Amino acid sequence: MVIFPDIKPVEIEIGGKKRSIDIDDPKLPDWVDDNALSSGGFPYEKKIDRDEYDEQLKKLQVELVKVQYWLQATGRRVIAVYEGRDAAGKGGTIFVTRAYLNPRSARVVALAKPTETEQGQWYYQRYVAQFPTAGEFVLFDRSWYNRAVVEPVMGFCTPEQYETFLEETPHFERMVLNDHIFFFKFWLDIGREMQIKRFHDRRHDPLKTWKLSPMDVAALNKWDDYTEKRNRMLHKTHTERAPWTVVRANDKRRARLNAIRHILERIDYDGRDRSAIGEVDDKILGSGPKFLK
């Protein structure tokens, strides 16, 4: 049984047409299903084969274990930030990245709504408290970048707070890099029909219902607002030393493989097997706002 309040149909405009989306309806509309994979300009007609994916993923996960040993031996630290639209696949990408790492030194940080005390702190403070110590790998499932997209779209911060964040964040991240932390920023991007399909899948799968919040559904008709804030965030906070890595994520499998490859390419750890890592697919993964044009 799905325990979730009734969701009213949402009216949106997509592809120049007005559409009504009823997430509660067990049948996914054909216009969503037929266009989900290709939405947002996704470059492949089919998802990668499951067996091929499993084979490549295992090799990459072996390399990640080597990275963890190297971090512990050298005391180096890694921060990986995963951002993207709702249902873009952030959690799944984080899960396969961390799956075989020792949890004592590989942590996932997914902070809840700030407490009253945290609301009175320096904005970055509760995130800094989660930063890695020597030998640690920390993966942020959403991060301080909530203030760049979600908060201004949903009215959770003031315009002044939003503008201040965009100005200060490159300076904040420069301090992270100056402390010799490996720092990765991923934006997982999906098409609109794919987002609707994933919301629908979550609504009707009892094991995934917890992933769908009323705020997710409320955001369905704020697509253009999210796009504008995403574009401005990428423009203002994509820097030479702390670049955004954009991942086309309509195919979760390709997205996961290429995000891991990107990390492995940029850390010169002991025993690195370049043949196991393979090549990053430049149709799936690119750098900065230009990749989305």
Side-chain angles (χ1 to χ4, degrees):
M1 181 180 68
V2 177
I3 303 174
F4 200 88
D6 290 339
I7 302 172
K8 295 181 180 180
V10 178
E11 301 293 329
I12 66 171
E13 184 172 325
I14 182 169
K17 296 181 180 180
K18 290 188 176 180
R19 302 281 195 177
S20 179
I21 304 298
D22 187 356
I23 298 294
D24 270 341
D25 188 341
K27 186 180 185 306
L28 183 68
D30 290 340
W31 65 268
V32 176
D33 203 21
D34 292 345
N35 296 301
L37 187 62
S38 62
S39 61
F42 190 73
Y44 290 99
E45 295 180 357
K46 295 180 180 180
K47 296 180 179 180
I48 190 173
D49 177 76
R50 179 71 197 219
D51 290 340
E52 182 182 354
Y53 165 73
D54 287 341
E55 180 182 355
Q56 293 183 31
L57 179 60
K58 183 177 180 179
K59 293 178 181 179
L60 297 174
Q61 288 172 329
V62 169
E63 294 300 302
L64 285 168
V65 172
K66 294 179 186 178
V67 169
Q68 187 171 45
Y69 277 121
W70 180 80
L71 292 174
Q72 292 170 345
T74 61
R76 296 298 301 272
R77 295 160 289 169
V78 177
I79 294 174
V81 166
Y82 297 83
E83 296 286 346
R85 295 186 189 271
D86 295 318
K90 299 179 291 297
T93 302
I94 291 169
F95 177 82
V96 298
T97 302
R98 182 180 175 272
Y100 294 100
L101 300 181
N102 186 334
R104 290 187 179 89
S105 55
R107 293 186 285 115
V108 177
V109 177
L111 298 183
K113 178 181 176 181
T115 64
E116 183 176 349
T117 297
E118 289 170 336
Q119 289 176 19
Q121 295 174 345
W122 178 50
Y123 176 72
Y124 304 94
Q125 187 168 340
R126 71 185 193 129
Y127 297 103
V128 172
Q130 299 293 334
F131 276 19
T133 189
E136 272 196 315
F137 192 137
V138 174
L139 304 92
F140 280 89
D141 187 348
R142 292 199 183 277
S143 68
W144 48 95
Y145 279 101
N146 277 331
R147 180 143 293 178
V149 182
V150 175
E151 289 189 14
V153 169
M154 301 305 294
F156 297 155
C157 69
T158 67
E160 292 77 16
Q161 288 172 328
Y162 168 64
E163 295 294 339
T164 297
F165 175 85
L166 292 177
E167 293 300 322
E168 291 185 347
T169 294
H171 304 291
F172 166 68
E173 293 176 351
R174 191 177 302 118
M175 289 189 289
V176 174
L177 291 158
N178 286 344
D179 208 40
H180 306 292
I181 298 173
F182 289 103
F183 182 42
F184 301 92
K185 300 191 300 190
F186 292 102
W187 176 268
L188 276 63
D189 206 68
I190 56 173
R192 198 169 192 185
E193 288 91 342
M194 180 56 77
Q195 185 185 57
I196 294 169
K197 182 179 187 303
R198 291 182 184 174
F199 281 173
H200 186 270
D201 290 346
R202 292 176 177 184
R203 178 67 172 111
H204 297 280
D205 184 340
L207 297 177
K208 296 180 179 179
T209 304
W210 65 271
K211 292 184 175 183
L212 183 66
S213 72
M215 193 172 77
D216 293 336
V217 179
L220 275 173
N221 59 8
K222 296 181 180 293
W223 180 270
D224 291 340
D225 292 340
Y226 273 97
T227 300
E228 189 272 329
K229 293 297 187 294
R230 175 204 67 187
N231 291 347
R232 189 154 186 247
M233 176 196 75
L234 293 176
H235 175 73
K236 295 284 287 186
T237 62
H238 175 74
T239 64
E240 183 177 355
R241 294 187 65 200
W244 276 102
T245 299
V246 178
V247 186
R248 298 190 187 278
N250 279 4
D251 180 355
K252 294 180 181 179
R253 296 169 186 168
R254 283 190 172 94
R256 294 167 183 172
L257 294 174
N258 284 282
I260 295 173
R261 285 191 182 110
H262 178 75
I263 291 173
L264 296 174
E265 277 193 342
R266 280 157 176 75
I267 301 177
D268 189 16
Y269 56 94
D270 291 341
R272 183 164 60 173
D273 185 345
R274 293 186 179 276
S275 64
I277 297 171
E279 298 293 330
V280 169
D281 185 343
D282 60 10
K283 293 181 181 178
I284 296 296
L285 186 146
S287 181
K290 292 183 179 179
F291 187 63
L292 290 174
K293 292 182 180 179

